[in-house]
Amino acid sequence: MAKNKPSTLVMKFGGTSVGTPNAMTQTVANIRASQASWERIVVVTSALSGVTNLLVESTERAIQGDEVFISQAETELMGKHWQLAEKLISSPAQQAQIKQEIKHLVAEFGSLCRAISILGEATPRALDAVVSLGERLSVRILAGALQSAGSPAQFIETTHLIVTDDCFQGAHPDLKRTEQNIQKIIEPLLAQGEIPVLTGFLGATEAGITTTLGRGGSDYSAAIIGATLPADEVWIWTDVTGVMTADPRIVSQARTIPEVSYREMAELSYFGAKVLHPKAVRPVVEAGIPVRVCNTFAPAEEGTRVLRDDRAAQKPKNGTQSIVKAVTAIQRQRLITVEGRGMLGVPGVAARTFGAVAATGTSVPLITQASSEQSISFSVPSDSAEAVLASLHAAFTDELAKRDIDRLWASDDVAIVTAVGNGLQETPGVAGQIFSALGAAKLNVYAIAQGSSAVAISLIVAAKDAEKAVQTLHHFITS
Ligand code: ASP
Ligand code: MG
């Protein structure tokens, strides 16, 4: 980085970092503390904790015509946001102004939900109009709170900033367009020494229709902003200290991982570690910008740094770090198997299998194929298994009739347990050690997927064995 370029930090706050007066006070303090070491700060915020869920539930109730629920939700939204504004915004005029804006946004919520209730249905576009309200509410209060604390801040709805396609509920950003908007809108604010406070989660189509980036999308927003500014670092503030070696509810010795590579992080998010949204990793990876995951309520702790693969691949300084860095589990999966002697050497069976799965809108976290080509197994979320089986039966009616495919079936509930660590696959003997340990613990492994990623080994175990498998593999980290 050139010396004369001012240092720029993007700080993103999750719902629990802004959800209560105490949390938001802490967040304001954390932002102000960062001003000492960073010349320019851009803030991205989620909705207050619980608000997006309430908005989603309201749309569902509205479709059923439940107007009582809508009224209750209005009261709850008003109460939560007004209380925060009253506690955090000291100037009476500004507080009154923001409370007025909250009232208008909540009225917008009520109108939208009542329209949905009359229609008895909601398009994805209508859903985005409702669920994006959470961030439109929170951003005003956080910017106001910063001003009350003495930091010049300006809230911005990212409908003016993040340009997306029209895949409502899971829109894709146009980074070029977004970058132009950032130059136009954010740079001048930064130049004036202001802290722009941006809504996470939402954007708009070229025509200006509000979209959202998918649930948990505020991290993605922060990454998009970080990559396009570009920022020097992106810090994701949450309510746990970084990325942990395992879910501490399952493994009591779980601890924070100081550094993970982007690839490890992507695997961890993909395989169930809820700290960072997988998509969020991508734009910053490509821009080579480091990400740090920190705890709003323990800001002095280092948290976890997500580094570029080449930097993270360097040997740990103390030499004691294990090759396995983290163990995760995804529960409530079922293993689907397509099996038949007639599949041997027949091209296109896999393509048709996954075509049939895709037709149900189900994504597949894990695939294995026996080398004999006589069976393909893959996991899907348990709730989708019946629909996937039906779709497969329809796709392979002829093959089933001719017995080219003998069997098409779903297992009982299973879990995918994944060990993540750079070099897991290059290090001889690791897989063997993992299987010995599982064997010694009397845990049966139904399927394995190793080839897909150089930094992870995934195993399918019975649902009831998942916790024990995670604990067993965690020994590789602590011993
Ligand atoms: N508020 C949105 C959600 O809960 C986005 C986010 O928090 O990341 O999904
Ligand atoms: Mg969130």
Side-chain angles (χ1 to χ4, degrees), residues 12-16 46-47 135 215-218:
K12 180 261 159 175
F13 296 92
T16 50
S46 293
E135 275 74 9
R215 287 307 307 272
S218 291

Side-chain angles (χ1 to χ4, degrees), residues 217-235:
S218 291
D219 292 338
Y220 194 24
S221 308
I224 293 165
I225 305 286
T228 48
L229 260 170
D232 297 297
E233 292 193 20
V234 175
W235 292 2

Side-chain angles (χ1 to χ4, degrees), residues 355-434:
V357 178
T360 65
T362 305
S363 80
V364 174
L366 180 142
I367 304 168
T368 62
Q369 183 181 17
S371 50
S372 69
E373 287 187 50
Q374 292 186 40
S375 77
I376 303 174
S377 296
F378 53 92
S379 72
V380 297
S382 299
D383 293 341
S384 313
E386 290 305 328
V388 168
L389 278 180
S391 180
L392 285 168
H393 273 286
F396 289 119
T397 314
D398 287 350
E399 286 78 1
L400 286 160
K402 286 190 274 177
R403 303 291 309 269
D404 283 343
I405 291 177
D406 300 316
R407 238 154 59 101
L408 204 55
W409 56 286
S411 69
D412 289 337
D413 269 13
V414 295
I416 305 174
V417 173
T418 302
V420 176
N422 266 331
L424 255 181
Q425 288 202 17
E426 291 106 67
T427 312
V430 179
Q433 285 173 36
I434 286 178

